[in-house]
Amino acid sequence: MPIQVLPPQLANQIAAGEVVERPASVVKELVENSLDAGATRIDIEIDKGGAKLIRIRDNGCGINKAELAMALARHATSKITTLDDLEAIMTMGFRGEALASISSVSRLTLTSRTADQAEAWQAYAEGRDMDVTIKPAAHPVGTTLEVLDLFYNTPARRKFMRTEKTEFTHIDEVIRRIALARFDVAFSLTHNGKLIRQYRGVSDSKQRERRLGAICGTAFLSHALAIEWQHGDLALQGWVADPAGARAVTDLQYCYVNGRMMRDRLINHAIRQAYQDKLGDHQPAYVLYLTIDPHQVDVNVHPAKHEVRFHQSRLVHDFIYQGVISVLQEAGAESLPGMAAEEPGERWQPENRQAAGGNHFSAPAQAGSAGERESGGRESQSSYSGSRESQSGYGSRESGSRENRGGHGGGAAASWQHQTPGYQKKEGALYRQLLQTPDLPAAQKEEKPQASDRSVHEEHGPVLSGHSESFGRVLTVLHNEFALLEAGERLALISLPVAERWLKQAQLTPGEEALKPQPLLIPVRIKMAKPEREATSRYAALLKQMGVELEAEGQHVTLRAVPLPLRQQNLQILIPELLGYLAQQPEVSVTQAAQWLARHTVTERPHWNHSQAIALLAEVERLCPQLIKAPPSGLLQYIDTELAMNALKHE
């Protein structure tokens, strides 16, 4: 068979095999063209699941008469002109194949009018050579495309179409995805003459919240955690569901790159890695918008533009991972090293005896004394809490909506105020119970434990053993660093900076397993002297157990990961000092290394407030119960109240 040029209709049908998979593919291509035209309202009408009719009407800029015939030609587009344009694409379409391919497998009619034209014009292609016929028509400013009898001239393709219900379900999903990408555009979807979906264009955060709930459901909305994360030209915005919400919501994964909906393996892997073991066999649920310099992403790798290729894929992967894991940590989804993460839906409450009435701890705390309000509504301020700002330069961004280049991808700017979910650990409930019940002498507590305490120990084992006793109730903070405690009939002062140092040491001391390393978004490369480089290899096992991943490269050492408690530190200063300390010691144990790190990582606070003191002591009691029975020097000092009372009695 000789080599020959394919007829235009056959060439377009071959292209249609790549672009037009089913009616939903046609809807996607045409709606994206409307968005590129600047439309703020798009109406989609479907008949028979798209097999009979697909009509897309918009109020965009329209196509003038002179270019109407060319719009149906293959490889004709107004979105790129040079190779440089192809390397920085911000529009939804750019190949110029959609209209020509669709018209080759259907009866397509294009009607359009621009603002400077007095009348509209209509075009359609027919014949073997697909000649375009143009005639006048009545139409407002904008464009309408009618696709009749899809695959009428390709019976094999039509045979593989699914049922009407299945095909419309795919169309509905496409509109849902696009509506999430463009909150500023109004959409309406009609099937067989019945209005199915209607999304109004919104601008403020409350309206975006309503649209998100309408598209993704109230279950996702109630568990959604807002993300605002940026570094340079990279920005990540949107929402992820907490682990409990991800279990309740199935198959809800929407991801966008510069406003373009994607199914990218790299992005999915980064998000899945952030959740790690929190979900088991379940999949994370999220609606995320990634904004990146268009020169750093190649969108021309898939015929239907479902996939992209990042020039710095590792950077993008780590950036998304850090953004997602940080918001999960802030919401309390990340537990301390050695502690299992707990589902918010499985919150434990101590059971009261029948004679004691209902359990008032299971209800929200009522307004009472200052101590009750502080203990009931405190938020953990300890240093292990997840941070949205790391030393590698990636930080949270609390600004409002961003203006996207080219007017596309407005949905990437959607966000609302981060709503902190109710977060109550089993230990916190018991801690409040101990603070708010009358104190018993220590001997009586040891000899006659209460039934509720026994049930706690039997059910939850050693996890709560540190709460059988406590330092006492925090009355106030003196001189910005000492907490005044009431323990039974005694008063005591506790040094909050020293308590924080012991807490940090407990967090940095590995248990049966090594501390989990947290990969850095950008590895830190530090030039080291020979003794420090030798210490890196000599103490490699110790550093690995501490969760510090170092790699020697000539005269430099590259830091790739650190444990969670060190994420907020200035690693370019801390790590060389740590290696210098190790180089000077003939032998260092894990405890000594944790103690050194604790002394060099505790940040000096100008002053402590009441709630911070309560939160700190609660964590110290949980992780360092031995400090209650045998407090080290410099931590706790009891006050001799009898001397003061005797002085008053003699007056």
Side-chain angles (χ1 to χ4, degrees), residues 40 74 153 241 263 299 302 365 394 404 463 476 579 599 619:
T40 59
R74 194 179 182 198
N153 54 354
R263 292 194 296 264
V299 299
H302 190 278
Y394 288 78
N404 292 272
V463 175
T476 186
L579 294 178
R599 289 184 177 275
E619 293 304 319

Side-chain angles (χ1 to χ4, degrees), residues 211-222:
R211 178 183 274 198
L212 182 72
I215 297 175
C216 300
T218 56
F220 176 81
L221 185 61
S222 62

Side-chain angles (χ1 to χ4, degrees), residues 358-612:
N359 180 5
H360 63 277
F361 290 108
S362 61
Q366 300 295 328
S369 65
E372 291 175 350
R373 289 195 299 269
E374 290 291 346
S375 62
R378 65 182 181 268
E379 291 183 4
S380 176
Q381 302 289 336
S382 55
S383 58
Y384 75 88
S385 299
S387 170
R388 298 181 70 174
E389 187 167 344
S390 64
Q391 293 298 327
S392 56
Y394 288 78
S396 63
R397 182 177 175 184
E398 301 298 336
S399 61
S401 60
R402 302 177 66 248
E403 181 177 351
N404 292 272
R405 279 176 280 184
H408 301 287
S415 65
W416 63 67
Q417 288 279 348
H418 174 67
Q419 301 174 355
T420 304
Y423 184 62
Q424 180 182 10
K425 285 287 189 181
K426 302 174 183 177
E427 300 84 2
L430 184 57
Y431 177 66
R432 287 196 297 275
Q433 184 188 35
L434 290 171
L435 288 181
Q436 297 176 2
T437 52
D439 290 306
L440 297 175
Q444 185 177 352
K445 288 184 179 180
E446 293 178 0
E447 294 175 2
K448 298 181 180 180
Q450 296 182 3
S452 60
D453 291 339
R454 286 197 301 269
S455 63
V456 168
H457 284 275
E458 291 171 2
E459 180 180 358
H460 300 282
V463 175
L464 299 180
S465 59
H467 288 277
S468 59
E469 295 182 4
S470 69
F471 287 111
R473 185 161 65 96
V474 179
L475 299 178
T476 186
V477 176
L478 302 176
H479 299 287
N480 296 328
E481 61 174 328
F482 299 102
L484 180 62
L485 307 178
E486 179 188 16
E489 297 180 354
R490 306 182 66 183
L491 296 178
L493 284 177
I494 190 168
S495 174
L496 297 176
V498 175
E500 186 180 24
R501 189 173 72 241
W502 279 98
L503 175 62
K504 178 72 74 171
Q505 181 176 337
Q507 294 169 352
L508 290 168
T509 303
E512 296 180 358
E513 297 181 358
L515 297 182
K516 182 184 295 185
Q518 298 284 335
L520 297 179
L521 190 56
I522 298 179
V524 179
R525 196 164 184 261
I526 309 169
K527 188 174 183 179
M528 293 288 184
K530 184 177 180 181
E532 283 79 5
R533 296 199 306 271
E534 293 176 350
T536 302
S537 57
R538 183 155 53 100
Y539 289 100
L542 172 66
L543 293 172
K544 184 177 181 180
Q545 193 173 3
M546 299 290 295
V548 179
E549 293 186 359
L550 290 170
E551 182 179 339
E553 301 175 354
Q555 295 184 353
H556 293 78
V557 172
T558 302
L559 176 66
R560 301 195 176 277
V562 294
L564 187 60
L566 298 183
R567 289 305 303 268
Q568 300 181 52
Q569 304 301 318
N570 189 338
L571 300 176
Q572 291 184 336
I573 297 178
L574 178 64
I575 297 303
E577 291 180 351
L578 173 62
L579 294 178
Y581 165 74
L582 296 177
Q584 296 173 4
Q585 306 300 320
E587 187 175 353
V588 177
S589 65
V590 171
T591 304
Q592 291 173 329
Q595 185 177 9
W596 186 93
L597 284 171
R599 289 184 177 275
H600 289 77
T601 56
V602 173
T603 57
E604 294 185 2
R605 304 194 188 196
H607 59 82
W608 289 78
N609 59 37
H610 198 177
S611 60
Q612 290 173 341

